[in-house]
Amino acid sequence: MLEIGTTVLTVEDMDRAGDFWRTALGYVDRREPSDDWVILDPPEGPHGRASIALSKTGYPQHYPPRLHLDLYASDQQAELARLRSLGARDVDWDGYPPGADYVVMEDTEGNRFCVIETPEWFSGEE
């Protein structure tokens, strides 16, 4: 059996990216970060929730990225404003369908993610 444990994002500025994702998700360092690697876990530990790792590889970003995160928000507008204040940017994208419940953004390193109005079926609890 397999399950997703960690999603790895390539970054150029480890401190800036770490600060962004720690604050955006409320995650904490699993252990002391190195100069080129850190794993961020939910504060209660990675039990049943995915972690995010940041890897400084020196490889250029691929545009558009081949992978992105979907982040669910119970108050989408408040989260969009908060993420922008942390350094996230809106992606200029003309592919939104009518009535889209998501906004495409990128973090301080150009890694893309969508902020989605919480679907009715999602409770956030296990």
Side-chain angles (χ1 to χ4, degrees):
M1 180 177 129
L2 295 174
E3 63 182 74
I4 296 173
T6 303
T7 299
V8 181
L9 302 176
T10 302
V11 302
E12 295 175 17
D13 186 323
M14 184 65 70
D15 292 334
R16 179 177 63 190
D19 289 345
F20 175 83
W21 286 108
R22 281 183 204 95
T23 305
L25 298 176
Y27 277 26
V28 296
D29 296 342
R30 181 178 294 176
R31 63 182 66 87
E32 187 69 27
S34 70
D35 291 339
D36 62 354
W37 180 257
V38 64
I39 300 175
L40 305 175
D41 291 325
E44 66 277 3
H47 315 290
R49 292 180 57 200
S51 300
I52 290 190
L54 306 175
S55 173
K56 187 175 180 180
T57 62
Y59 302 133
Q61 290 284 13
H62 180 274
Y63 288 100
R66 295 181 178 173
L67 176 75
H68 72 269
L69 301 174
D70 280 352
L71 306 178
Y72 293 163
S74 57
D75 184 344
Q76 184 186 45
Q77 293 306 309
E79 288 298 334
L80 292 170
R82 187 177 72 85
L83 292 165
R84 288 177 187 119
S85 76
L86 297 175
R89 297 172 296 274
D90 292 281
V91 172
D92 185 17
W93 185 56
D94 60 4
Y96 288 106
D101 63 350
Y102 61 94
V103 174
V104 181
M105 301 185 87
E106 62 184 17
D107 70 5
T108 58
E109 304 298 302
N111 294 298
R112 293 197 179 167
F113 59 94
C114 292
V115 179
I116 302 170
E117 187 70 35
T118 305
E120 290 180 20
W121 55 263
F122 182 79
S123 69
E125 299 174 10
E126 296 182 334

